[in-house]
Amino acid sequence: MSYFSGFGGWFIGFVDDFLSLCGYGFLVFKTIFQKRTGIFSTGLGVLFKQVIFTGVDALPVIGFVSLVIGGVSIIQSLTFLPRFGGESFVGKILVTVIVRELGPLLTGFIVIGRSGTAITAEIGNMVVSHEIEALESMGVDPVRYIVIPRVFGVTASLVSLNIYFNIFAIIGGFLVSKLVLVTSIGVFLQKILQSMEVSDIVINVAKGFIFGTLIALICTYKGFSVKASSTEVPRMTTKAVVNAITAIFLANGLITFLYYF
């Protein structure tokens, strides 16, 4: 009975949290499509800062990870495919693994670890120090001033980082294939372009847009979930990371399922 009682309590809490997040997301999108009033320049400044922090500052780590992943993918492909006469499928495997799956997921993980945690902690500390109440007392909408610039900034950065990840992964794959196959960049890119379809690009961009929106909404929501104590900030930050990772995994699985079935 204690097991069922504990599971029931967890399930009720999960449903309540999920419905609250859905309501929060509806409020954010409703505010986005409302007529813009006031503090436009300030909100634009917050947006630019978020893009620089999430996108520009993450370029070195994204570039390094993508180079390694691209090289490893080629190594694994060239290890097993020649046994079955499948060398011609190297480009298709690189496109499928990197562009469709690993690229958006790994980019999302890095953004969650760098920017998602920072967003949750920042908003949580603002709640604890009563900065949110101060903004409201001055007639400033916290959703428009705090949330929307971060949603736009994280989403735009994640879409751009996805493209950046793909380019460097292809470069990493070429560097490895150059050592093994002694191929030229023209031939390698030709194989990649022949293997790539419009649907691959559409799926990559769609995943970047959806993942970025989910990460921004979940992390800002968890930041506002902090009540009064500073000890809640690290706890909500951890929950934001777990929930965001779970959300992009579920979204990735749903998109892949809808595409293939």
Side-chain angles (χ1 to χ4, degrees):
M1 292 300 295
S2 60
Y3 170 79
F4 288 107
S5 176
F7 176 78
W10 171 85
F11 182 76
I12 292 174
F14 170 79
V15 172
D16 179 69
D17 194 49
F18 176 75
L19 293 178
S20 298
L21 178 61
C22 292
Y24 172 78
F26 175 78
L27 173 63
V28 172
F29 285 110
K30 178 183 176 182
T31 306
I32 290 175
F33 291 106
Q34 284 177 345
K35 184 178 179 181
R36 183 179 296 275
T37 55
I39 66 164
F40 175 77
S41 59
T42 307
L44 195 61
V46 176
L47 171 61
F48 285 152
K49 290 180 180 178
Q50 189 63 54
V51 170
I52 292 174
F53 176 71
T54 302
V56 178
D57 292 348
L59 291 179
V61 63
I62 293 288
F64 174 76
V65 172
S66 58
L67 282 173
V68 173
I69 294 298
V72 170
S73 299
I74 290 295
I75 292 174
Q76 295 292 342
S77 300
L78 295 178
T79 300
F80 292 100
L81 289 180
R83 302 178 185 178
F84 310 99
E87 296 91 338
S88 59
F89 294 101
V90 171
K92 187 62 177 178
I93 290 177
L94 188 64
V95 170
T96 303
V97 172
I98 301 299
V99 177
R100 285 193 182 182
E101 300 298 333
L102 282 184
L105 282 175
L106 291 178
T107 305
F109 293 161
I110 294 173
V111 169
I112 291 172
R114 288 190 72 260
S115 303
T117 54
I119 290 173
T120 304
E122 179 186 12
I123 296 177
N125 288 324
M126 291 178 68
V127 173
V128 172
S129 59
H130 303 288
E131 293 182 42
I132 304 298
E133 297 176 1
L135 289 174
E136 292 176 338
S137 66
M138 293 186 293
V140 178
D141 184 4
V143 173
R144 186 175 296 281
Y145 176 68
I146 297 175
V147 179
I148 293 178
R150 284 165 174 78
V151 172
F152 285 162
V154 172
T155 302
S157 298
L158 195 50
V159 173
S160 302
L161 289 175
N162 266 343
I163 300 174
Y164 179 82
F165 187 101
N166 296 333
I167 294 174
F168 271 76
I170 292 174
I171 293 175
F174 166 73
L175 295 176
V176 173
S177 64
K178 182 71 174 178
L179 298 175
V180 179
L181 300 177
V182 196
T183 182
S184 65
I185 183 65
V187 174
F188 183 80
L189 288 178
Q190 184 180 6
K191 291 182 179 180
I192 294 296
L193 293 176
Q194 289 176 348
S195 304
M196 188 176 298
E197 301 175 358
V198 177
S199 60
D200 297 321
I201 301 175
V202 172
I203 290 175
N204 183 269
V205 174
K207 286 185 177 181
F209 182 83
I210 294 172
F211 291 178
T213 304
L214 288 174
I215 292 170
L217 287 177
I218 291 173
C219 291
T220 54
Y221 170 73
K222 288 300 179 182
F224 283 113
S225 297
V226 175
K227 300 304 179 184
S229 174
S230 59
T231 57
E232 297 180 40
V233 175
R235 184 165 59 87
M236 287 300 172
T237 302
T238 303
K239 286 186 175 182
V241 171
V242 174
N243 292 348
I245 291 176
T246 304
I248 65 174
F249 263 120
L250 292 175
N252 182 75
L254 180 60
I255 294 172
T256 302
F257 176 81
L258 292 176
Y259 175 77
Y260 284 105
F261 296 97

